[in-house]
Amino acid sequence: METKDKYGINIIKNKEEIEFSEIRAIIVSLPPDKHFDGVEIALEHGKPVFVEASVILEDVRKIEKNNKQGVFIAPSCTFMFHPAVKEIKKIVRSGDHGKICDFSYHSGQYLPDWHPWENVQDFYVSNRATGGAREIVPYELTWIIDVMGYPKDIKGYFRKTAGNIGCDIEDSYVCSLDYGDMLGSILVDVTGRNALRNLVINFEEAQLQWRCDREELEIYTPETDSWEKIEMGEMLHEDGYSRTINEDMYIEEMDAFLKGIEDRQLYPNTIEKDMRVLELLNKIEDSDGGFDRKYM
């Protein structure tokens, strides 16, 4: 298998073959609708567990309820480790440009381009409950909320808009976030033929722009009537994946998980935060007539 040949990872087909006393921690890297099964094994053996980005609230609630021993669970929060996001958070928290008035964010990538080596029907992104666009909404909300905080209210629309993505799922989500004295908008799609993540933040005294295909942030200030560029440095990219994906953030996330095993305060996400984000996803869908739970 490629996993064994490329990375030297031992492949075991049945959990009965595993000697859990020799395992320090478990990483659950399964389709989102199988996360509960993987985490349940970790809880059964009292092992710290990292679990990839979730999308099904009911399963995360079951994970939290079944964690009787208080095992360290680290839900993925990959983009919190992106160098641009870390810099954006620093700028927002500094208050140097006044308060935020509004922000807009667009995250999109054509679904068949996610895994060009396989048909979308052959993996989880083609299932409605774990569909590509639906999954990315909480994935993005996780870091946006870390930077901006939780909104007072959230509403949105979700639709199937394209006939060329190879499956029957809602492919576009438009979300409006109400912070009282600040507004935000998020568009997530799996229809855009060019992969992108574009962010604009309007401060009282500046504007910040970020495109994830550029290794820099740009800040416009009216005093100088010019744009300041903040370089992010060269990023690590994996062949076969979009150039917008920075592999360094995954490495940092795993490092934070290992440190969190010793001191869970060193890992920036929790199962409680994960549930709260997924509650926002459900609220977006409920504001537009709801999501049919029979697909869960």
Side-chain angles (χ1 to χ4, degrees):
M1 293 180 67
E2 182 182 2
T3 304
K4 185 173 183 179
D5 295 340
K6 191 171 182 179
Y7 300 106
I9 296 174
N10 189 28
I11 306 300
I12 297 174
K13 294 184 178 180
N14 302 303
K15 66 178 182 179
E16 290 74 19
E17 301 175 44
I18 302 172
E19 182 53 66
F20 283 95
S21 63
E22 298 177 359
I23 291 177
R24 182 185 177 198
I26 291 175
I27 295 172
V28 175
S29 183
L30 295 168
D33 57 346
K34 306 295 187 217
H35 284 176
F36 177 77
D37 299 335
V39 174
E40 195 72 346
I41 293 172
L43 299 183
E44 179 185 343
H45 295 276
K47 300 297 180 181
V49 55
F50 171 89
V51 56
E52 285 193 320
S54 298
V55 67
I56 300 176
L57 175 60
E58 291 74 10
D59 282 357
V60 179
R61 283 175 172 164
K62 283 196 296 183
I63 289 171
E64 193 270 342
K65 183 179 179 180
N66 288 8
N67 189 13
K68 307 296 186 184
Q69 302 179 59
V71 169
F72 172 51
I73 303 174
S76 177
C77 53
T78 309
F79 255 73
M80 286 190 192
F81 298 94
H82 194 290
V85 170
K86 289 190 286 187
E87 186 64 29
I88 292 166
K89 183 176 179 180
K90 188 188 306 180
I91 291 168
V92 168
R93 297 293 169 84
S94 74
D96 291 344
H97 303 295
K99 69 176 289 294
I100 296 174
C101 302
D102 54 74
F103 68 89
S104 63
Y105 181 64
H106 183 185
S107 170
Q109 183 182 12
Y110 184 57
L111 194 64
D113 288 344
W114 282 31
H115 291 181
W117 56 86
E118 62 182 330
N119 191 294
V120 295
Q121 294 286 350
D122 294 336
F123 69 117
Y124 70 86
V125 296
S126 60
N127 299 329
R128 281 196 70 214
T130 58
R134 187 171 197 266
E135 182 205 21
I136 293 299
V137 173
Y139 185 90
E140 302 288 9
L141 277 173
T142 295
W143 74 261
I144 288 172
I145 284 170
D146 185 58
V147 173
M148 305 291 187
Y150 287 92
K152 293 182 177 181
D153 197 11
I154 191 167
K155 294 185 170 92
Y157 298 96
F158 63 114
R159 295 283 187 279
K160 174 177 171 57
T161 69
N164 64 343
I165 62 170
C167 60
D168 187 21
I169 62 168
E170 288 83 358
D171 52 50
S172 302
Y173 278 69
V174 178
C175 321
S176 296
L177 296 79
D178 178 8
Y179 288 85
D181 64 346
M182 176 178 84
L183 294 174
S185 66
I186 300 173
L187 168 60
V188 169
D189 72 71
V190 292
T191 62
R193 302 309 299 260
N194 177 54
L196 58 78
R197 280 183 167 95
N198 290 348
L199 173 69
V200 174
I201 301 177
N202 286 319
F203 297 89
E204 289 178 311
E205 300 166 10
Q207 183 183 88
L208 180 148
Q209 294 190 8
W210 171 52
R211 286 183 47 161
C212 70
D213 59 347
R214 299 175 181 173
E215 296 176 348
E216 62 188 21
L217 296 175
E218 294 182 294
I219 299 179
Y220 172 83
T221 53
E223 291 83 2
T224 61
D225 190 24
S226 62
W227 290 90
E228 174 193 358
K229 293 184 178 182
I230 302 175
E231 302 290 342
M232 295 296 103
E234 189 174 352
M235 299 180 191
L236 179 64
H237 303 284
E238 179 72 12
D239 290 340
Y241 284 88
S242 169
R243 290 285 298 172
T244 66
I245 299 298
N246 166 32
E247 296 297 323
D248 291 307
M249 61 186 177
Y250 294 102
I251 296 170
E252 285 192 36
E253 184 174 41
M254 284 294 98
D255 182 60
F257 169 55
L258 295 176
K259 290 175 180 174
I261 294 172
E262 305 301 326
D263 179 0
R264 61 183 64 191
Q265 299 300 317
L266 297 177
Y267 190 80
N269 202 14
T270 66
I271 200 77
E272 291 78 17
K273 290 179 181 178
D274 218 34
M275 287 190 293
R276 197 170 174 186
V277 166
L278 293 177
E279 285 167 358
L280 292 179
L281 169 63
N282 284 11
K283 193 169 183 180
I284 290 165
E285 293 170 335
D286 290 344
S287 74
D288 190 29
F291 185 88
D292 193 340
R293 304 299 170 191
K294 74 181 181 181
Y295 290 96
M296 301 301 196

